[in-house]
Amino acid sequence: MAGSMKVLCSNRVSAVSLCSGACAEVDSDTEAVAGEPFKLGCISCKMRGEVEASATVDWLFKARGEADFVHIYSYDGEASSIIDERFQDRMEWHGSKKTFDLQDASVDLLNVTFNDSGVYRCIFNRVLSYEHYEFSTIATKLVPLTVVAKGTTTPDICVSITSIFVTLFNAVVLIVYIYRDACVVCCRAEYLAIASESKDNCAGVQVAE
């Protein structure tokens, strides 16, 4: 039983931790709008929810065109530090609050610029505290970020709305054609019935004469 539970806990389905129902690993959005705030999402659920733990978080950044990641931000459960001056006064903690057992390490990136495009790496340094020993683990998440100008996504919305109206129009046209064909069939059947009845009446009159 313990072995099967261990297997269950080591396999995640649909990015949701099966061993911690209160924690779900959801991927971050990857498109930000210049001049607006953006949340860099990073969640790492513990494998054993009942084990006490503490964690620190580091964020690294590799700008578009650069070869290496640089350390830009850190958080230890109490205080945060912005290491890279490019993000000074522009990064705020948006993750787990009032706990050293960090599982959500999301941060807000304020006043996004085009220079913020690139790849962000979120690193959890977690220590699991057992009765007689401690076990250290490291979890890493990557967030590729593209920064677009305001209004760039509006045409996509218009295309979606247009597609909906086109689909509805086609459905109405199809219903009209089906209704018309049904009316033609009914009218033809009624005409044939009347013609047949009229023919029978004429034959009766001739017989009577």
Side-chain angles (χ1 to χ4, degrees), residues 21-91:
C23 180
E25 296 191 3
V26 181
D27 292 336
S28 173
D29 289 335
T30 58
E31 185 175 278
V33 178
E36 297 185 1
F38 178 79
K39 186 177 82 169
L40 288 166
C42 178
I43 299 176
S44 174
C45 301
K46 285 192 308 184
M47 304 301 291
R48 296 285 300 275
E50 70 275 13
V51 177
E52 292 185 4
S54 62
T56 59
V57 173
D58 294 292
W59 277 92
L60 284 69
F61 174 58
K62 182 173 68 173
R64 184 170 294 173
E66 294 184 358
D68 301 318
F69 282 92
V70 294
H71 191 191
I72 61 172
Y73 182 88
S74 64
Y75 183 77
D76 63 4
E78 287 185 325
S80 60
S81 299
I82 298 176
I83 293 91
D84 194 301
E85 63 181 8
R86 291 175 295 180
F87 297 92
Q88 196 65 40
D89 300 324
R90 293 203 303 123
M91 294 193 79

Side-chain angles (χ1 to χ4, degrees), residues 107-186:
V107 294
D108 287 329
L109 183 58
L110 309 178
N111 191 25
V112 173
T113 70
F114 291 104
N115 291 330
D116 295 329
S117 295
V119 180
Y120 293 80
R121 175 181 289 170
C122 168
I123 303 175
F124 280 85
N125 295 281
R126 178 175 288 129
V127 177
L128 301 174
S129 300
Y130 294 90
E131 186 175 356
H132 300 295
Y133 67 98
E134 292 183 340
F135 182 76
S136 298
T137 64
I138 295 177
T140 300
K141 307 285 183 178
L142 292 177
V143 181
L145 181 65
T146 301
V147 179
V148 300
K150 289 184 178 181
T152 301
T153 57
T154 301
D156 295 334
I157 297 175
C158 293
V159 169
S160 298
I161 295 176
T162 302
S163 298
I164 292 173
F165 276 108
V166 169
T167 302
L168 291 175
F169 176 77
N170 290 337
V172 170
V173 171
L174 180 60
I175 292 173
V176 169
Y177 274 103
I178 293 174
Y179 179 76
R180 187 197 65 177
D181 292 342
C183 288
V184 170
V185 171
C186 290

